[in-house]
Amino acid sequence: MSDIFQNVEPMVHESRISVPYHWWAGDTASRFFIDLRDSQKIMGTRCSKCSKTYVPPRKTCPTCFTPNDEWREVASQGTLISYTVVRRHQASLPKKPPIIYGLIQLEGADTAVLHIIDELKPEDVKIGMKVQAKFSSQRKGTMFDIEYFRPVH
Amino acid sequence: MGKKRVAIVGTGQTFHKSHRPDVNGQELINEAVQRALLDADMTIQDIDAVVIGNMDHFEGINYVDCWSVDGSGGVMRPIIKLTTGGTTGSTLAIGGYHMIASGMFEKVLVIGWEKNSESDTTGAITTAFDPVWDRLVFAGAISGLAAEAQSYMAKYGATDKDGARVSVRDRKHACNNPHAQLRKEVTIEEVLASPMLADPIHLLDVCPRTDGACAVIMACEGVAERIAPQPDWIWATANRHTYSYLNDATYGELDSMADASKELFSKAGIKDPRKELDVIEMYQPYSFAGIIWIEDMGIAPRGKGAEYIWSGATDMGGELPINPSGGVIACNPIGATGLIRCAEAALQVMGKAEERQVPDVSLALSTGFGGCFWTDTILHGKNKPAF
Ligand SMILES: [Zn+2]
């Protein structure tokens, strides 16, 4: 079938569009990021009906669809529930590979947060290990106010 | 108000390639549409409405439904676009089914397409993730799947060799499918020796990027039988979208698959899918999904998916062949991929799958998957459904 390309001169038109976006974090996420930035606190929302604490916080419970307006602080330490090691570089990655991505269930939360795991070699990562948030010294109100999670020794 | 019975009466696919520098998007779409019309022995004048879709941001064209009318045949016809990420193709099929089942239309042309070569796939896929919570730290489609595989391996002691066995199967099957992009057998050793992308996923465990299009023609009962000697009757559909943020998913099993297939089988009165299904065309973007998700479907018990794969049961000639087409690992024009699964299942039921035909197919399952752990399922039958 490859002879369909015989005598085809590929004519390519390059895009000159640049479409930058900015996103409003919104009511619930703003409160989370302000607490993270100003007090190094990790806050979740509590659904009393489901008895679940959500981090990231929700305005509405994803399970029962009732408003969640009770805020609760969770620990900055938790358990690694899954991970992967990204080996190949892509422009969209925040730093050079290998990067360990982890899903961390913080103590007091029922859902996991997604972040980078550092201060250990990729071959030493284990599901079930305890990790601790390392807060950034320059905090701007984003998820990178936690620089990464590191093993608890 | 009862729903109408619906059948697939014709399908058409391009010969999918990594790049199609010889055609633009509209021309690519047209190839699939012309083949589907030819297959059903219809003309565009016979079509009442068009459903079309592709991935957001992949070609940078917003109003694909309008822009593509020259290729799709949508000029002066009702036409809508559906796009749901990786599940786009299967959602298109479900959308077309709903349009006819509702009694509003008799004959609908469903089109899924992608010119994957026209953009930065990883960049475009990253727009599927929440910009505030997920996107800053995470990127692309592979990492989430890798976390799923890691979790599963830790739970059940599976290895990357088990994943490789699935890749070997699909790549072998693809050699029977002239439409597949990659048609080359590989060995388990070659899969394991290919570069590690995100642990435990190797390059040969995952799908490629593909340019391609697929078109499917559906018709209502009373019309379908006059078009096709053996229509592919749609028995049921079910789908689930599970969460807002990546962190919410259950890793190591696919909740959306478990719930959707449970509903699908219960609608059709299927009690033992392993015995009752004859073939599955599964949207399986990477090898480990071939082990994990058949457990969610109830084909194999939890933790026993790999054993079932190693037994050869899902190979051609086995108890329940999976992906006779070679599946997604061999070919992945994303907006078309889910619809290709549906078309391939239809070919199996209609007895038109040529070299990749599984003998005597009465019931076939096709699925769709989206990068944020969504699932679509469609059940296809040789006989009319009982409802
Ligand atoms: Zn709730």
Side-chain angles (χ1 to χ4, degrees):
Chain A
M1 297 312 299
S2 56
D3 60 359
I4 61 167
F5 298 139
Q6 231 174 12
N7 306 320
V8 172
E9 183 188 350
M11 301 290 289
V12 173
H13 289 241
E14 296 289 341
S15 165
R16 285 184 296 172
I17 307 168
S18 162
V19 190
Y21 290 92
H22 58 268
W23 295 284
W24 303 103
D27 187 18
T28 308
S30 294
R31 176 159 174 186
F32 175 93
F33 287 119
I34 289 166
D35 283 337
L36 182 63
R37 182 191 64 196
D38 298 347
S39 338
Q40 300 178 47
K41 277 185 181 169
I42 303 172
M43 301 295 292
T45 50
R46 175 91 183 154
C47 177
S48 49
K49 204 167 162 191
C50 297
S51 302
K52 269 190 167 180
T53 301
Y54 291 98
V55 181
R58 316 302 160 98
K59 196 160 194 164
T60 309
C61 173
T63 307
C64 72
F65 211 59
T66 55
N68 286 2
D69 39 26
E70 183 194 339
W71 286 79
R72 203 174 265 207
E73 185 180 357
V74 300
S76 61
Q77 174 176 318
T79 307
L80 186 69
I81 58 168
S82 192
Y83 74 96
T84 184
V85 184
V86 174
R87 306 275 179 178
R88 197 177 56 165
H89 184 67
Q90 293 166 343
S92 47
L93 293 176
K95 52 182 251 185
K96 271 207 155 87
I99 302 173
I100 308 164
Y101 281 122
L103 288 157
I104 304 119
Q105 189 166 337
L106 297 168
E107 285 164 20
D110 292 289
T111 56
V113 291
L114 172 67
H115 220 297
I116 290 167
I117 312 288
D118 212 334
E119 293 190 22
L120 85 170
K121 293 194 203 104
E123 52 271 31
D124 295 332
V125 192
K126 288 246 162 2
I127 289 177
M129 72 191 295
K130 298 283 176 212
V131 292
Q132 167 84 42
K134 179 182 184 294
F135 293 98
S136 310
S137 48
Q138 302 276 326
R139 292 185 302 280
K140 295 169 182 162
T142 77
M143 270 315 267
F144 280 122
D145 287 0
I146 299 169
E147 203 177 330
Y148 51 79
F149 282 80
R150 61 186 171 195
V152 177
H153 295 296
Chain B
M1 189 187 74
K3 59 180 178 281
K4 292 214 172 221
R5 291 186 178 128
V6 182
I8 291 171
V9 295
T11 71
Q13 293 183 50
T14 54
F15 290 92
H16 316 302
K17 303 274 179 204
S18 68
H19 296 75
R20 283 292 306 270
D22 56 322
V23 289
N24 72 0
Q26 296 155 333
E27 292 165 339
L28 185 77
I29 289 164
N30 192 253
E31 283 183 18
V33 170
Q34 296 291 2
R35 286 189 180 125
L37 289 170
L38 189 69
D39 186 46
D41 195 20
M42 293 166 80
T43 71
I44 197 68
Q45 277 68 42
D46 298 319
I47 299 296
D48 302 329
V50 179
V51 190
I52 191 167
N54 62 320
M55 291 284 282
D56 284 330
H57 299 289
F58 271 53
E59 291 80 10
I61 297 156
N62 239 320
Y63 55 110
V64 151
D65 42 344
C66 306
W67 166 83
S68 63
V69 289
D70 286 4
S72 68
V75 176
M76 296 301 280
R77 289 201 160 70
I79 182 162
I80 57 166
K81 178 175 93 166
L82 297 176
T83 177
T84 61
T87 42
T88 292
S90 43
T91 301
L92 287 163
I94 292 174
Y97 168 70
H98 286 170
M99 285 169 77
I100 298 174
S102 70
M104 300 289 285
F105 298 92
E106 285 193 350
K107 290 157 288 177
V108 171
L109 171 64
V110 181
I111 307 162
W113 71 285
E114 209 71 77
K115 263 206 142 219
N116 228 325
S117 64
E118 291 188 341
S119 64
D120 163 15
T121 305
T122 300
I125 283 187
T126 301
T127 64
F129 299 105
D130 184 89
V132 173
W133 294 105
D134 289 342
R135 214 180 284 185
L136 203 58
V137 280
F138 223 49
I142 292 176
S143 310
L145 299 174
E148 176 187 53
Q150 276 307 350
S151 243
Y152 180 83
M153 286 163 63
K155 205 165 169 187
Y156 296 112
T159 67
D160 51 0
K161 208 172 160 186
D162 297 329
R165 175 63 177 80
V166 178
S167 185
V168 166
R169 176 197 72 196
D170 283 5
R171 289 171 193 276
K172 182 168 192 227
H173 289 179
C175 297
N176 295 328
N177 178 5
H179 294 279
Q181 178 195 338
L182 303 174
R183 301 173 64 208
K184 187 172 176 289
E185 280 197 54
V186 297
T187 63
I188 285 171
E189 293 70 32
E190 284 168 336
V191 176
L192 297 178
S194 65
M196 187 69 90
L197 301 180
D199 301 21
I201 301 180
H202 298 85
L203 180 65
L204 288 177
D205 283 311
V206 293
C207 52
R209 301 160 35 129
T210 312
D211 284 359
C214 177
V216 165
I217 299 170
M218 296 180 179
C220 62
E221 184 176 23
V223 174
E225 303 91 321
R226 283 188 271 130
I227 299 171
Q230 172 59 64
D232 166 49
W233 294 99
I234 298 178
W235 278 34
T237 68
N239 70 329
R240 292 289 186 275
H241 286 191
T242 45
Y243 74 97
S244 304
Y245 309 124
L246 270 170
N247 342 0
D248 290 349
T250 310
Y251 284 86
E253 46 197 86
L254 186 59
D255 292 341
S256 59
M257 174 65 87
D259 220 38
S261 45
K262 194 174 157 197
E263 179 190 315
L264 187 83
F265 296 147
S266 109
K267 276 177 174 170
I270 290 180
K271 297 203 166 51
D272 187 352
R274 175 169 164 178
K275 293 221 169 66
E276 292 174 66
L277 296 175
D278 299 305
V279 62
I280 301 175
E281 271 290 336
M282 183 176 167
Y283 193 129
Q284 176 210 290
Y286 79 121
S287 62
F288 293 85
I291 297 169
I292 305 170
W293 302 351
I294 60 170
E295 297 177 10
D296 294 301
M297 287 178 197
I299 304 291
R302 287 270 173 229
K304 301 287 181 200
E307 199 180 307
Y308 190 60
I309 299 293
W310 281 105
S311 77
T314 67
D315 298 340
M316 288 303 271
E319 174 188 52
L320 175 52
I322 297 181
N323 298 337
S325 68
V328 185
I329 284 182
C331 187
N332 189 28
I334 305 183
T337 300
L339 190 59
I340 293 173
R341 306 279 74 70
C342 172
E344 287 287 336
L347 289 173
Q348 292 289 346
V349 168
M350 296 163 98
K352 290 162 78 167
E354 299 176 335
E355 293 295 300
R356 56 195 186 282
Q357 180 71 49
V358 172
D360 306 319
V361 172
S362 319
L363 267 188
L365 170 66
S366 67
T367 77
F369 170 79
C372 305
F373 297 101
W374 311 318
T375 300
D376 287 349
T377 57
I378 303 172
L379 191 66
H380 309 247
K382 189 165 250 171
N383 301 318
K384 289 180 184 178
F387 65 77

